[in-house]
Amino acid sequence: MAKITLGICTTHGPILNTTPEEWMLRVPHDHKVKHWFRNKEYTFSELAELRKHENFPAQITLEERTRRHADCQHGVAKLAEIWQREKPDVAVIMGNDQRELILDSMQPAFTIYHGDTFWQKPLDADKASRLSVGIKESEWAYRPHDPVVWPGLPELAALAFEMAEDAGFDFAASKSWPDMGAHHHIGTPHAFSWVIRRVMGDQPVPILPIITNTFFPPNQPTSRRCYDMGRFFGKVIKHWKQDVKVAVFGSGGLTHFTIDENFDQSLMQALIQRDEKFLCSVPQTTLMQGTSEIRNWIAAAGTLAETELDGSVIDYVPCYRTEAGTGTAQGFMVWR
Ligand SMILES: [Fe+2]
C-alpha cells in the first residue's frame, strides 16, 4: 500500500532565485500598489507609517540582505539534501496558478492534473521580454534551458476522481496544459516547476499536481476547504494499492508582499502541532495577494494530518526590501 513518508512545505518565489541586489528591483512596484496587512488594505506610505516602530531600514541594508539571502540558499539546499536522502517514489504537490494556465475565462477552485506527462520549456524572447522586472531575473529557477517532459501520476488522479464523488469534492480535470497563445506564460506553473528544478534537482519522480486558485476572487477556497481537500488526498493515498513511498508538498507563501512575522510563526507552530482549529480558521482577508499561497501549506497539512510524521522548521527568513516591511517571508519545513 502507498505510504506518505515525507512532507515538505516550502516557499518558491523570486527572492530565492535572485541576488540581494536584485531583490530591490521590485521596490518601485511596492510603492505603486496597495498592500494587505492584518486584514486591511493600505497604501505604501500608510503602511510605512503604521510600521515605522519595527525599524525596517536596519533590515534592508545590503549586508543584512546578503545574510538573509545566504540563509535562504541554505534552506533550499537542505530541502534538496532531504529529498535526495529520503528518495520518495512519487510526489503530490499542492500548488497554485498565478494567471499562468488559468485565465478568468474559466477559473476552477481546485484542479487535478491527470495527464501522463506535463511539459516545460523556455519562454520565447518576446514573452520573456514582457515579464516584470525582478521576475525576469528569476526565471532560471522555473524553466530549464531546453524543453522537458515530466512524468504525471494519472493512476492516483483516477483514484482521486473516483473517491471524490463520495467525499463531496468536484474537482476540475486538466489533461494537458492549455495553449496560451499570446499570453505571457506557457507550460508548468511556477509553484510546481520550482519544486522540480530546485528541490528535485531536475530529476522528478512522477508527480500529481493539485492546482488551487489561491489568488483570484471570487472563488478562492477557504482555509477550512483547503485543509479538508488536503485531508481527502491523505485518504486517497491510503487507499492506493501501490507499494510506493509518497512525498507531499505545500508550495508557496509565506506572508507577502507585506511580511507579518507573528502570523508566519503562529502558522508554523500550528503546522507542527497539527492545530486544525488554527489552520482552518485563517480568514480569507489574511490569505490575500502572495500570502494567499499559504492555502497550499494548509492543504498539505491536511494530507499529512493522519500520518505519524513529525514536522519541524528548517528555517524562517523574513526578506524585507522596504521601510514599510514589504518583501517576502521565506520558510522551509519538513515532516519525517
Ligand atoms: Fe508563487
Side-chain angles (χ1 to χ4, degrees), residues 33 42 44 87 93 121 155 159 219 258 280 295 321:
V33 297
Y42 299 91
F44 183 85
K87 299 202 183 328
I93 304 182
K121 62 182 177 186
E155 187 183 318
L159 181 60
N219 64 335
T258 311
C280 294
R295 287 184 174 89
R321 62 184 172 228

Side-chain angles (χ1 to χ4, degrees), residues 244-255:
V244 287
K245 296 193 287 180
V246 182
V248 175
F249 283 85
S251 173
L254 285 168
T255 51

Side-chain angles (χ1 to χ4, degrees), residues 38-92:
R38 300 197 176 149
N39 309 317
K40 251 186 96 179
E41 208 177 19
Y42 299 91
T43 63
F44 183 85
S45 53
E46 286 167 347
L47 191 63
E49 179 60 26
L50 181 76
R51 307 191 74 186
K52 67 179 177 205
H53 63 284
E54 294 182 69
N55 193 23
F56 294 120
Q59 301 189 59
I60 61 173
T61 61
L62 179 58
E63 191 185 355
E64 195 51 39
R65 277 182 280 131
T66 302
R67 194 181 64 73
R68 295 182 193 208
H69 177 268
D71 289 345
C72 288
Q73 297 314 309
H74 182 258
V76 175
K78 195 85 200 157
L79 291 182
E81 187 189 310
I82 291 166
W83 175 259
Q84 284 299 328
R85 197 182 326 131
E86 299 289 329
K87 299 202 183 328
D89 299 305
V90 302
V92 173

Side-chain angles (χ1 to χ4, degrees), residues 5 40 69 135 142-143 145 182 220 229 235 272 290 300 329:
T5 56
K40 251 186 96 179
H69 177 268
I135 307 294
Y142 307 103
R143 293 178 186 281
H145 291 298
Q220 308 102 308
M229 185 276 288
K235 292 193 169 69
I272 289 171

Side-chain angles (χ1 to χ4, degrees), residues 23 37 49 79 116 151 188 198 263 265 295 316 327:
W23 288 7
F37 180 59
E49 179 60 26
L79 291 182
D116 292 335
T188 306
R198 297 213 58 194
F263 175 78
Q265 293 292 358
R295 287 184 174 89
Y316 172 74

